[in-house]
Amino acid sequence: MSEVDIHPSATVGANVTIMGALTLGANVQVGANVTFFPDVRIGADTRIMPGAVIGRPPIRAGATNRPISLGDATVKIGAHCVISPNAVLYTNLRIGNNVLIGDAASLREGCQLGDDTVVGRGTMLMHDVEVGARSRIHNLACIVGGCRIEADVFIAPHVSSLNDNEVYLKRFGLVPFRINPPRIRRFAVVSAHVTLGAGIEVGRGAVIAPGAVAMRDVPAWTVVAGVPARHMRDVAAEDRQAILRKFGLAREEPA
């Protein structure tokens, strides 16, 4: 029988389903109707709210093209986190400390979230997304598989992203499966209703204005807007330096 290790100070609500190995740390609170798939580890003082699903395995249907790799199936959630009602967290996840997962958010297999991150209500992180410490991804965003989001990034509601410019043939299996996700560098801001194209890089400290469609790289410390996104101006030097000073980086970049 799989090992279930629940700390004496943890509390577990009604109708909780435990399907395999589970570790709940000190003072963990689990609400009603939560489902734990096997190999889940929850750190101290974390709260799992009603209806959440933790450790869901991806299940391949005959119509899907993407190969699925479970990797290390263990789900590890750090201390002082909040997993909100009806969130669905897949297997092979690594979630740091002080992380907030919003209502009905979905985190696919292979995702990694640094400390102090936020994933908003209804937001979807597709497979193998990495989110750096202190980044915020707000409500109803869709972050495409393989996307890399560095620390201290702000992503506003309703942002969407792409990782494939070959879907026209790939959907029929006529070209090999591969993805080319975007990368969002530290301190960047992606405003509401922005679309990020496959393979682009949003540079350090860059700002993408609301509603823009960014299909090409966005240079560091610039502001872009429009469809397609175009350079509007540079980030004000004093704003750039204020951010760098806050993180002790002012000497690393020219003013």
Side-chain angles (χ1 to χ4, degrees):
M1 181 177 180
S2 298
E3 181 178 358
V4 175
D5 181 9
I6 299 177
H7 193 276
S9 62
T11 58
V12 177
N15 301 316
V16 169
T17 300
I18 300 173
M19 300 177 68
L22 173 66
T23 300
L24 301 181
N27 302 310
V28 168
Q29 299 178 51
V30 178
N33 302 307
V34 170
T35 298
F36 291 107
F37 282 86
D39 300 317
V40 174
R41 305 173 189 173
I42 311 293
D45 297 296
T46 285
R47 185 171 183 183
I48 312 293
M49 300 187 74
V53 176
I54 312 297
R56 179 207 190 282
I59 300 173
R60 183 181 175 86
T64 59
N65 288 327
R66 180 176 68 84
I68 293 175
S69 175
L70 296 181
D72 178 357
T74 305
V75 174
K76 297 179 181 178
I77 300 175
H80 305 284
C81 296
V82 175
I83 312 300
S84 296
N86 301 313
V88 179
L89 278 56
Y90 280 59
T91 192
N92 187 21
L93 296 185
R94 302 293 180 267
I95 296 176
N97 300 320
N98 304 306
V99 173
L100 172 61
I101 307 297
D103 300 352
S106 174
L107 277 63
R108 290 294 303 266
E109 67 277 5
C111 288
Q112 300 182 41
L113 277 62
D115 295 344
D116 304 298
T117 53
V118 172
V119 176
R121 295 179 181 88
T123 284
M124 295 182 291
L125 303 188
M126 306 306 283
H127 65 93
D128 302 304
V129 170
E130 295 183 10
V131 182
R134 299 174 300 279
S135 286
R136 304 287 189 267
I137 306 174
H138 280 259
N139 302 341
L140 298 171
C142 181
I143 306 301
V144 76
C147 186
R148 299 294 181 262
I149 300 169
E150 295 186 354
D152 304 298
V153 167
F154 181 93
I155 297 178
H158 295 278
V159 168
S160 59
S161 52
L162 309 172
N163 64 3
D164 190 355
N165 289 327
E166 299 179 323
V167 68
Y168 188 77
L169 296 177
K170 192 176 297 177
R171 60 193 169 135
F172 302 120
L174 297 174
V175 296
F177 185 89
R178 54 181 172 262
I179 59 173
N180 188 20
R183 186 180 188 108
I184 307 173
R185 297 289 187 179
R186 192 173 185 186
F187 307 128
V189 171
V190 182
S191 302
H193 296 279
V194 163
T195 299
L196 300 175
I200 72 164
E201 178 174 293
V202 180
R204 194 180 206 193
V207 178
I208 305 179
V213 176
M215 303 305 290
R216 295 183 178 178
D217 291 350
V218 180
W221 305 107
T222 63
V223 179
V224 301
V227 181
R230 295 181 175 87
H231 179 266
M232 296 288 109
R233 60 181 176 85
D234 292 341
V235 171
E238 58 269 27
D239 293 344
R240 173 178 172 177
Q241 286 301 303
I243 292 171
L244 293 173
R245 281 195 301 271
K246 176 176 175 61
F247 291 92
L249 302 172
R251 294 183 179 181
E252 295 184 13
E253 295 190 25

